[in-house]
Every structure is written in structure tokens, then in C-alpha cells.
Amino acid sequence: TSLSARFLSLHVRYALGTARVEAARGLEKEHRRVLRGEISDCQAGMPWAAVFGLPAMMTPTVCGVTALQNFANQVSQMSLGMLPSFEQNSQYRLPRRAQADHVLYDVKPGNGSQSVVEAVGYVDLGGAEATAALLQVLFTLVDYLTSNNHAGWIVLRHGNPSKAATSPATLAGYGVELLSRGSDEIAKSSGDDNDTSDHGAGKGTTSDAQAGASCSWSANATDVAADPAGQFHGIDLKVLTQRHPDTIPALCQLHGDLRTAVEAQPPPWELKRLGASAALHASQAASGVGGGREGLNAMEQVAQDFPSGWAQALATTGREHRDVVRKVMDQAESFEPLAGELQVNGWEVPAGRQSALPLLHMVMPLLQSYDVLRRAGYPARILEVLRDVCPGEAAPSRIAVWDPRMAESLSNLPGVSHTVVFDVTKDPESAKMREEDEQESYQFMPPQSGTLIRLAQYYGRFWHFPPPIPRQLLGVGLALDLCSPAQVALLEHVSRRALPAVVWLRIDTNEKNEEALAAVALATAALPKLAEGLGRPQSRRLLTDFVASGPSTDKPCGEGAKSRLQHIWSRLWTEAGKEPPDLVGQAHEAGQLGSDEKEDPLQGLPLPSAVVNGRVLSGDAVMDESLFDNICAAEVAEFAHKIRERDHHDINFLSSDSDIARWQYDGSTLHSWHPAIVSEHVGQPHYTAMSVLDLQGIPGGSGSSANSGVAPGSVAVHVLILAEPALHQDHVPLKEAADFLAAYAIHLQTPDEKTVNDEHSGPVSRWLFMSVSGKCPLKKGHREERVPLMLAGSLRRCLAAAFPKKGSGGPLLPKVLKSLAGALRNASRHLNAGLRTDDPFHVERLVLDACAEAASSSGDWSAQEELRPDQPFVQPVDEEFCKVQQALVNKAGVDIPAGAALLYVNGRRFGPVLADHGGVRINAGHVQLAEQLELTYGHRLRGSSAMRFPVTTSLPGSGLVKALQDTISSEGEFHLHVAHALAICAQASQAIRALQDNGELHTEASALENAFSSAPAELQIHLPAREDEDGCPLQVFAAFDPLGQEAQRLPAVLKLLHDELNAEVRILLCPRPLVAPPLLKYYRSAMAESSLLGSLGELGHWQAGRTLVRFA
């Protein structure tokens, strides 16, 4: 009776109904091609089931009715959890998948090693006993997989009903809509598929002589428009006269009556407003006892049977309510553009998917996620939040970078060691450009405003990149390797082009030798002195001369690099006739600066990198001069376009270059940049929902001083999974783990009230949990045998000893992380020496001793006794530590390379992220970036579920917290439940988005929603949701013409969603002015059978009594 169970039952019944209709029409040709030669164990025509993934004692192929019945009994007697957690015999191959398969169950496997149960069943639907036996097998499998929450794929294939099993029959007054594969096909009494004669639905070949003298049909009438009376409720009357000549007199009489009704069309002035009369007819029915559903029935009846005389009936209604109909028609004129729209939970459903099965597929992830949340103990009202989760806004493409055009930014970054090396407004390369610009001026305009007007007029027409204007349109930051001649050449390329830019530079190197590092420190100190004392061209010359003077053209940072650079420095000052300043002190300070102390994102970019007005270009893309020019040209084009959109007299505020920079950086920006973290955001984000049970026993705690009692505007639960430490002669793994710990220590010190949301401020509840990957060492042989802990086991002990106990987080956690990071750094310095000893436990003792020393010094470690440095071998508690942490690693399902880690924020994965990623060392800014991408630009709430707190507005999680705050009160775990639910909501939202075929999602009230709320009652039909324990999973808005084709098709679908899944349906009627009869065909929809009590397996038994018919 649960919502997900009702959905599963509906989906299965609908798939079965579709298969019946296809069998009646003979649409099994594709199945015959798929099945040919693939199942050799069964005789042709025999029902069979091929199953893969069940326990090994069960045979993979079952043939015949008796075998199927026995197999169904076997499945029904399997206990929960009996499914294997490994793949079966890989040599067995399931029949390949076919597009025409009727899917009964399709759940993708999650992370980890969960197996997948796959089953394909085939039967001739004409045999009731065989059909029941196969359906019992398939439905019982679906029941079993659902109960186990197990991945699987169960499909049904069918053949035509055999003529021996069913007698020919004529379906009178009944047409069928096929709701499969997203198509809307109308099944008519068109005979056999192989019949090529022209006597299908809507066509006729019966001549006057054949029909008899009493009546006649035109032999030339080849479509329903020529003879609409030839169709009655989807049945071709001419075909009936051919097959049943004794009915000709009665059918002729019926045809004559129908033709009279069809041809007696209302006059044009009444026909024009016939749609308004239909809307009034439906709204009047909706105002009765039956409510909106009765109104929907009335509209459906009119549309489906319109050719039988409804035009005259509606015309009569129009005459009786002339003023009302006229008013309704006038009011509906503004709604006409909305006709044909269907919106489900904010998603616009494309026209090709506005049928039952596609809509059921779309809602499947939502209901599956709801089922997961309910089993985890969440309240029923969580459905409203889940229903209204939607993707957040796109993350900004710019980072908040240091830009010399904005002078006030310099004071905010006292430690920045960048140097301006080119300025188009001052440097000699652009002198001629400045002279030409000064010769032109505009009256009544501020100085240099005329330059911007000419840019708007000429760029892209007469001017191309770079435009000849001496304005700082571009702020270009370069991070280059001093020891790379190709990267230094990029600086020359920028200055030669005389770009409309100001260029600043950070020098560093990827080389690790002392000469290279000393040369970088010297150059960092020398560049600003040269730029200030001798000019920017001389600062650039220092670098180019250094590269050119090297002993090797490709390796200028070899032996003597520092002395060469110092010699060039002295020579430049001597040529200018000045005394060179002392650089010893400044070079020493530059060498001591670490990236952790920097607030500017450019300090943390890989080498090489370029930042153009906050947009990042890194790696090989920087070295491609055409790509660099393209991003610069795009920025200039965007700037020129923005000026064109404004009045020329409205650009006075751009009189200075700082004004231009502020205008370009206007809006949200990222606080930092990291190649691995940003790349995860650009692609499809991946979420792994980690519940409170998953985190139970994992070292961690709250990093906020107030972690309970007050519902936060933002919840950030971080999970850090470190790669397994491994010893290599040239690799020191514990230092990398220490870098991650230090980054989180700094991040968790961020005040609670400082949120990463750029637009709103509110408290942030931050949590951190840590796990170490790696196989668990197990004792072998005798119990007294000592198995080394290895580095992973030693690190797990340190984590268990360091992290605060439950409920004692807050300010302690950053201190503990900092202390633990220091201990690991100290241990890493001595690891190489530890490899050269004969003690098999020396490495473990070294790490544990370092942690013990740090714990004693700190005094904040929660359980120092867990270290036990005198027992550096595996203990039972170590096996338990490893088992718990490895379970979390398995759930992540990602291989983590050495020196890397996985970062999670509310279940959203970033990485694997290397501690040293192309010269970018992990720091607190990168952790803040991951948090910002999820909290500010992650999934959000829309509609009624976007509930607000007095101190917040649209911060993530606020509506969810409101839904949970009265239900989950576990001390210290409330926010973990919030993060878990947010991850599941994000997974559901992504799965639904993948099924939308690029359909648009409205995060705010759409035009259709607003139109419905403002429409008069005569144009509204409302089917409210019932008071149900599970609530309302679907908010449906639809708009269509009551005399359009959607009115024939959609009402049955909307009633199904309302009746079976408790959807709330709102319909906006959009009648159009008519000049001709709108509907010339009858229409009927074959919906799913009514729901039965009991399991799906019992539905299979019930099918045994069914009598199938086929089209005659």
C-alpha cells in the first residue's frame, strides 16, 4: 500500500496492458528478430524465462508451463538477503536487449559490488495458462527484488495470440492508445499487419454495389475528412459491411444518421466559439458533486466522440449562455500561446513524452528516493521537499582574483607577491595608440568616454581583436614557471600585441632543486623593484635575459641560475645609471612565503595559468596562443555588447579603469579555483548519500560551536577519504595526508556566521568525518602471530585517538586537526630512515610515537589511550576500525590514487584530488570552494517547499530542516540527517533531469502556473490531491484546447496520475477560435487494469482467467 508499491504495481500493469495491445495488433516482428537463435534450450513457441544473477543452484533457463510454475515457487520461497553479492558465470549470456521490450523493473546498481538480477520472459499471450505461468515468474521476481531493494532488469516479450487459442472477434466501440516507447499510436481494426489492402482504419474500398442498394459510400473517399461518418468510435463501418454482409441495412442506417449529424455543422459565428462552449460544459460538470474529475470526464467525452454530433450540442450550449461564452472566449485569447504545455513538478514535458509510460518513467526516481528516505525513518512530509528539489543556478565562471585595476583590493591582500609587468595606459608599446586617441574627443562627454563609444560602434565591424584603444578592458594575471622558456615567451607575446589590458605576474617553478627555488625567490623580490625603479619593460627583460643566458635553451635553472639572475639584475641597474637595491632580505622573505598564507586565488593556480577578468585558463590551453587570444577577444566582445545595450549617455560611470573592472566582476564569483574540484562541477556532479548509520564509527565530529538546537540556514557535512598510505623511496605519503588535515583545520576555523553564500548570510553547521582506504590486515595461523599494522592501520589509530568524542566538537576539532597534521609531518620526515631498520614494526612505532607526542602536547585529543604505541601490530579493535572505514570506502566505489583523497560535501563528490595537483597544493581555499559549489550552487527547493526561516531566505536545506525539525531530535545527529536527505534529493533530481530530453525546469512560478491562478473559473479544472499518508508526489499543470487532440489523449493520462499516484492536477483550458470542425476522428484510450490487493505474484495467478481477443 506504500506509494512506491502502488507505483510499481501501476507500472507493471501498464506494461502488461501495452503488451496485450501489441499482441492484438501483431507487433512482435522485432521480437522474432531478437529471439532468433538466442535461446536454444527451448522449443519454438514454448514459454520460457532466462534469468541471470540468482543463486547458483537455480537454473538460468526455464522452459514450459510446469517448469515456470515450479521456478516461481522457488523464487517465492527465497529468503531476504539470499541474493549473491558477486557476478555469476560470465559465459552465460542473456538475450540482447530490444527496444520493444516491456520493462517491468529497472533499477540501476549503486556503488560497490552489488550484483544485478536480469530476466527476460517470452510467451504467446494467446495461451492463458502459459501467460499466467510466465507472469507469475516475472512478477514474483519483481516483488523479491523490490523487497531486497536490489538492482535488476526484468522484461516481458510476447508473440501473437495463436489462432488456436483465440477466436477472431471484432472490437465494437473501442479504440486503443499505445502508451509505450514515448509514442502515441492508435490501434484500429485494421486487420493483419501483413495485409497491404487499403481497408485500414479511416480508409475504405467498399464500393456502392458492395454496400447494397439501400445506401452508398463514396468509393473515392480515402480519408476520414472526406467521410467522417465512416468511423464510429474508432471502428471502420465499411470493413464491417465487408465481413458481415447481413449487417449492411443496419450499418447503412447508422451511417446515414451519423452523416446527418456530422454534416449539420453550426453556422460560422457559433462554430467560432465552440471551444468556449466546450470549456463551459466541462467547468459546469466540475462544479458538481464529482468535482474536477467529473469535469475532466465531460471534456474527454466531448473530444473523443466529437464527430457523433457534439458540435450541435455545444452550439446549443453557446446559444443558451451567449454572453458567458463570448466573455470566456475573449479571456482565453491571452492563454492561447500556452496551449499544449504539460508541466510536472516544474518540468516542462516535451510533446513527444506526454503519455503515460514516459511520465511514469520520469517520476520513478522520485518515488524510489522517497521509499529510501521513508525506510531510513524520515517523515512522510519529506515527499514535498523531495518533489520540489531542483538544480541550483549555474556557478559563476569567474574567480575573485587580485586585480590592480581595483586599487582597494590591494589593501585586502597584504601578502600578495605579484608584479604589474604591462599597462596599456602607460607603457611605450602603446604610446602611438594613446596619441591617436587623444586627438579625438566627444563634446559633453567625460575624458576617454569617446573611446568606449567607438569600441561599441566599431568592434566586430571595422575593429577586430585587439582593438586599438588605450583602455584597461582586460585584467590579465599570469602564473608562469621561471624555468620554462616557453612560458616566459608567453609574457612577451602579451606585451607585443599591446592588448587593451593590464598584466600582472606571479613567478614560481615546478622544479625541486635548490638553485631553481633560490632563483624564483630572487626574481619574486626583484620584479617589483625593477618595475618601480626602471619601468615595466625592464622587469620583463629580467626574465627574458635570464632564459636566454642559460647554459641550456630548455633548462635555464641549472647550476648557477641564482648568480646569473643576480648578475642580470645588477647589469640592468648599471645600464640605467642607478645603484641596484639590496635584495637579500626580500629574497629570503619571498622564499618563506607559503601558498597556505595567500588569500588570492592566483597564488594557488597551477603552472602555467592565466586569469582574464577572473576567467581561468590553465595547462596546455595557456600555451596555445590562439586559445589565449580567443578568451581575451571574447571578453572584449562581451564588453562591447554590454555598452551597445546601454544608452551612450549612460556610460559616464565607466570614466575610470577601476569602474570598468567593477562592472566586469559584477555578480557572483568563486572564492578559489582548483582544477580537480572545478572539473567535477563542470560535468555531471556525482552524489553518494551517506546516512547516519554509514558514518557511525567513522572518526569525526562537528566543527561548529553551536551544532544543535537552532535550525541552520546551511548544513555542510564534509567527508574526507584518504588514499591508502604506501611507502616508496621517492614518495612520502603521510605529508600529503597532513596537507589535507591542515586545509580542513583552517577551513573549520571559519566563523559560523561567515557563510560561503555570496548573497545571504546565515549560520553554517560544519561537520567533518575521515576515513582511510586500504585492505584490512587479518591475522593468519596462530593467534599469537603478530601482523603489522601498516601505515593505514597506524593512521586509523591516530584518527580514532584524535577526533573529539560525540557531542564535544566545536572549537576543539580545528585544534586537533592541526595537531594531528603536525604529527604526520614529523613522522614523514623520518619514514625513509625507518625503512633501513631490521625492526618489522619500526614504521608503525614511528607513526604512533609521533601521534602520542602530539597528543601529549595538545591535550585536546579525545582518546590518547587508543594509540598504544607499544603494540604496533593488529589488534581486534584495529580490525573493527578498518572494517567500518572500509565500508564507507566501498560505498564511495572510487579508486583513490596514492597521494590523493576524495572530498564530499553533503554527499557531493569532488576528486580524487591530489595533495599536489600540478603544483597546486591543497589548502583551505579549495575546501571552501567545494563547500561553496554545493551550498551556493547545488540543488535547491522550489514552490511551496522552499520554506524560509526569519534569518534566512533561500539558503540550501532550510525547507528540509523545517520538514525534519519536529521528527528527528537525536542529539548531535540532526544535521547529519539533513545532509543525507539532501544527497538523496540531489540524486533524484539528477535522475529526473536525465529523463527530460532537455525539457526546461521552472525554479520559480512559470507562466502556466501564473496563468492558471489568474484564469476565470470557466477555464479551470482542478483535481486536488487526496488526504493521504504519503502526501502528494506530483504537481501537474496542463494547458490545452478542449476541442484539440490533447483533449482526446491527455485526460486519461491525467486521471491515471491522479487516481493511482494522488497527483494534484490543474488544467487551464485554452479554447481557440474555429473556422472548421476541429476533430474528425473518434478516439479511445486503453488504460491499465484496476489495482489488485496482494503481491504482484498473485496478479500473475489472476491473469490465468483472462480471455484474450485479437483484432479480426
Side-chain angles (χ1 to χ4, degrees):
T1 59
S2 68
L3 186 60
S4 57
R6 297 204 306 264
F7 165 79
L8 181 61
S9 173
L10 171 63
H11 187 270
V12 168
R13 287 181 280 120
Y14 223 104
L16 178 60
T18 307
R20 277 212 193 91
V21 174
E22 287 191 352
R25 296 187 63 195
L27 300 180
E28 90 299 347
K29 295 172 186 155
E30 180 180 353
H31 294 169
R32 286 202 300 269
R33 288 194 297 270
V34 171
L35 296 173
R36 185 175 296 125
E38 296 217 24
I39 299 296
S40 58
D41 300 337
C42 305
Q43 297 179 5
M46 180 180 292
W48 53 260
V51 186
F52 171 70
L54 289 180
M57 74 284 296
M58 304 185 74
T59 177
T61 306
V62 184
C63 306
V65 174
T66 303
L68 287 170
Q69 292 171 342
N70 295 334
F71 186 80
N73 292 332
Q74 279 185 279
V75 175
S76 63
Q77 294 172 8
M78 289 172 60
S79 59
L80 292 179
M82 191 174 174
L83 287 174
S85 59
F86 53 87
E87 295 292 345
Q88 295 289 327
N89 184 1
S90 59
Q91 294 181 354
Y92 174 71
R93 188 169 64 91
L94 200 71
R96 64 184 175 88
R97 301 190 179 192
Q99 185 181 5
D101 286 334
H102 299 275
V103 181
L104 308 180
Y105 185 84
D106 187 9
V107 175
K108 302 295 188 298
N111 293 324
S113 58
Q114 187 187 49
S115 63
V116 179
V117 175
E118 296 183 324
V120 174
Y122 176 84
V123 68
D124 180 345
L125 288 176
E129 185 181 15
T131 300
L134 177 65
L135 293 181
Q136 189 180 359
V137 169
L138 299 182
F139 292 169
T140 303
L141 280 172
V142 172
D143 249 349
Y144 181 77
L145 295 178
T146 306
S147 302
N148 279 265
N149 191 29
H150 199 86
W153 179 71
I154 312 296
V155 300
L156 169 67
R157 296 175 182 172
H158 63 81
N160 264 350
S162 61
K163 293 186 178 181
T166 59
S167 57
T170 301
L171 298 184
Y174 192 75
V176 180
E177 178 188 13
L178 276 185
L179 299 174
S180 65
R181 303 183 299 283
S183 62
D184 296 322
E185 304 176 54
I186 309 303
K188 307 279 187 187
S189 54
S190 55
D192 189 83
D193 274 2
N194 297 321
D195 189 355
T196 58
S197 62
D198 190 22
H199 65 272
K203 298 184 179 182
T205 58
T206 307
S207 64
D208 293 351
Q210 288 176 312
S214 58
C215 64
S216 64
W217 274 286
S218 171
N220 296 323
T222 58
D223 57 37
V224 73
D227 186 13
Q231 293 284 310
F232 179 65
H233 291 263
I235 302 303
D236 194 326
L237 301 183
K238 298 177 185 178
V239 174
L240 295 183
T241 61
Q242 286 180 325
R243 298 180 178 177
H244 304 279
D246 55 319
T247 64
I248 289 179
L251 291 176
C252 284
Q253 180 65 40
L254 174 61
H255 177 265
D257 295 341
L258 291 176
R259 194 169 187 89
T260 301
V262 170
E263 292 177 346
Q265 297 295 338
W269 56 88
E270 292 182 351
L271 180 65
K272 177 181 179 180
R273 301 186 180 92
L274 216 57
S277 298
L280 182 61
H281 173 75
S283 62
Q284 288 175 341
S287 63
V289 178
R293 197 182 191 287
E294 190 60 33
L296 198 56
N297 284 335
M299 180 174 59
E300 181 184 40
Q301 181 186 16
V302 171
Q304 291 189 348
D305 293 342
F306 185 82
S308 63
W310 271 105
Q312 291 293 344
L314 293 177
T316 302
T317 301
R319 290 191 291 270
E320 294 175 354
H321 304 278
R322 182 171 303 167
D323 294 338
V324 177
V325 168
R326 187 186 301 273
K327 180 181 178 181
V328 168
M329 201 68 205
D330 293 339
Q331 292 172 321
E333 184 177 357
S334 61
F335 303 139
E336 187 173 336
L338 299 173
E341 287 191 13
L342 178 63
Q343 182 177 307
V344 179
N345 290 347
W347 285 101
E348 280 193 14
V349 182
R353 299 184 62 85
Q354 293 180 3
S355 51
L357 280 183
L359 290 176
L360 292 179
H361 291 159
M362 187 193 81
V363 76
M364 183 187 299
L366 184 147
L367 299 182
Q368 289 174 341
S369 299
Y370 173 66
D371 199 33
V372 171
L373 288 170
R374 290 290 279 151
R375 287 199 301 267
Y378 291 85
R381 63 186 300 187
I382 194 69
L383 178 62
E384 297 179 7
V385 179
L386 185 63
R387 179 191 66 201
D388 290 339
V389 168
C390 62
E393 61 185 69
S397 57
R398 305 182 194 272
I399 62 174
V401 72
W402 181 89
D403 194 323
R405 293 178 295 170
M406 296 182 286
E408 63 272 15
S409 66
L410 301 179
S411 60
N412 296 331
L413 300 170
V416 168
S417 57
H418 307 330
T419 303
V420 175
V421 293
F422 177 78
D423 187 345
V424 71
T425 64
K426 300 175 182 177
D427 284 7
E429 288 87 349
S430 57
K432 182 179 179 181
M433 190 188 307
R434 292 195 299 273
E435 293 174 2
E436 294 175 351
D437 186 68
E438 290 173 358
Q439 296 175 2
E440 297 189 31
S441 63
Y442 278 63
Q443 191 176 11
F444 308 117
M445 296 292 290
Q448 296 186 331
S449 292
T451 301
L452 301 183
I453 293 176
R454 292 197 303 276
L455 175 70
Q457 292 174 337
Y458 296 162
Y459 190 73
R461 300 182 177 109
F462 307 104
W463 286 355
H464 299 286
F465 182 80
I469 57 175
R471 295 297 301 270
Q472 295 176 350
L473 304 182
L474 303 173
V476 180
L478 298 175
L480 302 178
D481 190 338
L482 176 64
C483 303
S484 170
Q487 295 185 33
V488 174
L490 178 64
L491 179 61
E492 283 301 295
H493 167 75
V494 173
S495 59
R496 283 197 309 269
R497 298 293 301 272
L499 303 180
V502 57
V503 181
W504 66 99
L505 177 67
R506 174 177 73 87
I507 285 295
D508 208 333
T509 184
N510 290 324
E511 301 289 337
K512 303 302 181 183
N513 62 78
E514 293 184 3
E515 278 290 332
L517 297 177
V520 167
L522 184 64
T524 301
L527 286 174
K529 295 291 184 181
L530 279 172
E532 181 181 356
L534 301 182
R536 282 172 289 276
Q538 299 291 30
S539 66
R540 302 195 300 269
R541 185 180 168 190
L542 174 71
L543 303 180
T544 55
D545 287 359
F546 170 73
V547 170
S549 66
S552 173
T553 56
D554 57 342
K555 293 184 178 180
C557 290
E559 185 178 353
K562 179 181 176 182
S563 60
R564 288 198 342 268
L565 187 65
Q566 197 158 13
H567 174 72
I568 298 171
W569 153 268
S570 300
R571 175 167 54 81
L572 293 175
W573 285 96
T574 301
E575 291 176 356
K578 296 183 179 181
E579 186 69 22
D582 180 31
L583 286 180
V584 177
Q586 291 89 338
H588 177 74
E589 292 177 3
Q592 296 300 313
L593 290 174
S595 61
D596 285 342
E597 306 298 328
K598 299 301 179 185
E599 296 182 36
D600 178 32
L602 186 62
Q603 192 71 27
L605 292 181
L607 301 178
S609 292
V611 179
V612 181
N613 292 348
R615 301 185 189 275
V616 178
L617 200 65
S618 66
D620 294 337
V622 181
M623 304 310 298
D624 188 335
E625 294 180 357
S626 62
L627 291 179
F628 177 80
D629 287 349
N630 287 343
I631 191 172
C632 292
E635 284 295 303
V636 175
E638 181 180 342
F639 182 81
H641 178 72
K642 290 172 71 174
I643 294 178
R644 292 188 193 116
E645 290 180 338
R646 304 179 70 100
D647 192 308
H648 286 171
H649 299 283
D650 192 27
I651 62 171
N652 295 346
F653 68 96
L654 298 179
S655 58
S656 69
D657 291 323
S658 61
D659 294 329
I660 291 177
R662 278 190 291 270
W663 197 35
Q664 290 171 329
Y665 283 96
D666 183 36
S668 300
T669 56
L670 297 177
H671 296 291
S672 184
W673 193 89
H674 190 282
I677 294 175
V678 172
S679 65
E680 289 291 335
H681 181 77
V682 173
Q684 180 79 334
H686 181 89
Y687 286 85
T688 301
M690 299 178 183
S691 67
V692 176
L693 291 178
D694 293 328
L695 298 177
Q696 190 171 6
I698 302 296
S702 170
S704 306
S705 56
N707 57 23
S708 62
V710 179
S714 295
V715 176
V717 176
H718 295 259
V719 176
L720 175 66
I721 302 180
L722 297 170
E724 178 181 10
L727 284 172
H728 300 283
Q729 293 294 340
D730 56 349
H731 188 60
V732 187
L734 290 183
K735 181 182 180 300
E736 294 156 344
D739 289 342
F740 284 106
L741 291 171
Y744 275 94
I746 297 173
H747 177 67
L748 293 177
Q749 287 177 330
T750 306
D752 294 339
E753 64 273 7
K754 182 180 179 182
T755 175
V756 294
N757 193 309
D758 289 332
E759 301 176 359
H760 313 291
S761 61
V764 181
S765 176
R766 294 187 176 96
W767 295 66
L768 173 63
F769 294 87
M770 290 187 60
S771 177
V772 181
S773 65
K775 295 182 179 179
C776 300
L778 301 176
K779 291 185 177 182
K780 299 180 181 179
H782 300 291
R783 297 184 58 182
E784 43 286 338
E785 180 185 359
R786 294 181 174 184
V787 178
L789 269 178
M790 309 299 288
L791 276 177
S794 303
L795 183 53
R796 292 190 188 104
R797 274 199 198 176
C798 291
L799 292 177
F803 271 72
K805 294 181 179 179
K806 183 177 178 181
S808 63
L812 287 179
L813 187 55
K815 297 179 182 178
V816 168
L817 288 173
K818 187 175 182 180
S819 174
L820 179 56
L824 297 182
R825 285 196 176 110
N826 289 334
S828 67
R829 296 189 185 102
H830 302 91
L831 278 177
N832 288 336
L835 291 176
R836 292 191 291 270
T837 67
D838 296 330
D839 184 357
F841 302 107
H842 185 75
V843 170
E844 289 81 359
R845 293 184 199 274
L846 192 152
V847 175
L848 296 176
D849 285 340
C851 289
E853 181 180 351
S856 300
S857 302
S858 170
D860 295 326
W861 289 41
S862 64
Q864 186 176 350
E865 65 278 3
E866 294 286 355
L867 291 171
R868 301 185 304 279
D870 59 327
Q871 300 176 358
F873 39 81
V874 175
Q875 299 290 315
V877 67
D878 297 306
E879 296 180 7
E880 186 62 27
F881 287 161
C882 185
K883 180 180 178 181
V884 172
Q885 295 187 31
Q886 193 59 33
L888 191 66
V889 175
N890 291 339
K891 183 160 190 174
V894 178
D895 292 330
I896 312 175
L902 288 177
L903 282 59
Y904 288 88
V905 182
N906 292 348
R908 179 174 177 176
R909 187 184 74 203
F910 296 93
V913 177
L914 292 170
D916 189 341
H917 195 110
V920 180
R921 217 171 76 225
I922 190 73
N923 59 45
H926 301 141
V927 178
Q928 184 187 17
L929 171 64
E931 184 177 285
Q932 181 190 18
L933 289 174
E934 174 56 19
L935 294 193
T936 308
Y937 305 104
H939 287 74
R940 311 183 70 80
L941 302 177
R942 68 177 298 278
S944 60
S945 294
M947 294 172 272
R948 311 289 187 243
F949 288 95
V951 295
T952 65
T953 51
S954 60
L955 290 173
S958 56
L960 179 61
V961 170
K962 186 71 175 177
L964 301 183
Q965 62 182 355
D966 298 330
T967 306
I968 299 176
S969 58
S970 302
E971 184 67 22
E973 292 183 354
F974 177 80
H975 299 154
L976 305 185
H977 284 285
V978 172
H980 176 230
L982 281 173
I984 292 179
C985 290
Q987 287 175 329
S989 176
Q990 286 187 320
I992 293 172
R993 186 183 187 89
L995 298 171
Q996 292 311 304
D997 287 347
N998 299 320
E1000 181 183 358
L1001 172 64
H1002 299 281
T1003 56
E1004 303 294 337
S1006 65
L1008 176 55
E1009 296 177 56
N1010 292 330
F1012 179 86
S1013 61
S1014 62
E1018 293 82 2
L1019 296 177
Q1020 290 182 344
I1021 295 181
H1022 182 207
L1023 281 69
R1026 302 179 297 276
E1027 291 294 332
D1028 189 279
E1029 177 186 357
D1030 290 315
C1032 170
L1034 302 176
Q1035 292 282 351
V1036 181
F1037 285 84
F1040 49 82
D1041 184 352
L1043 292 182
Q1045 292 184 2
E1046 294 90 353
Q1048 289 184 320
R1049 177 174 50 84
L1050 279 181
V1053 177
L1054 298 178
K1055 285 188 294 183
L1056 177 138
L1057 297 178
H1058 174 72
D1059 296 345
E1060 297 272 0
L1061 300 179
N1062 197 27
E1064 183 169 9
V1065 180
R1066 297 177 177 88
I1067 302 171
L1068 175 65
L1069 302 179
C1070 307
R1072 295 185 175 97
L1074 299 177
V1075 295
L1079 298 169
L1080 302 177
K1081 294 182 180 180
Y1082 292 90
Y1083 195 95
R1084 282 297 182 273
S1085 299
M1087 308 310 291
E1089 299 285 352
S1090 300
S1091 179
L1092 297 175
L1093 296 178
S1095 67
L1096 291 175
E1098 294 177 1
L1099 177 61
H1101 285 295
W1102 172 72
Q1103 295 293 329
R1106 299 283 294 174
T1107 301
L1108 293 175
V1109 295
R1110 60 187 177 89
F1111 289 96

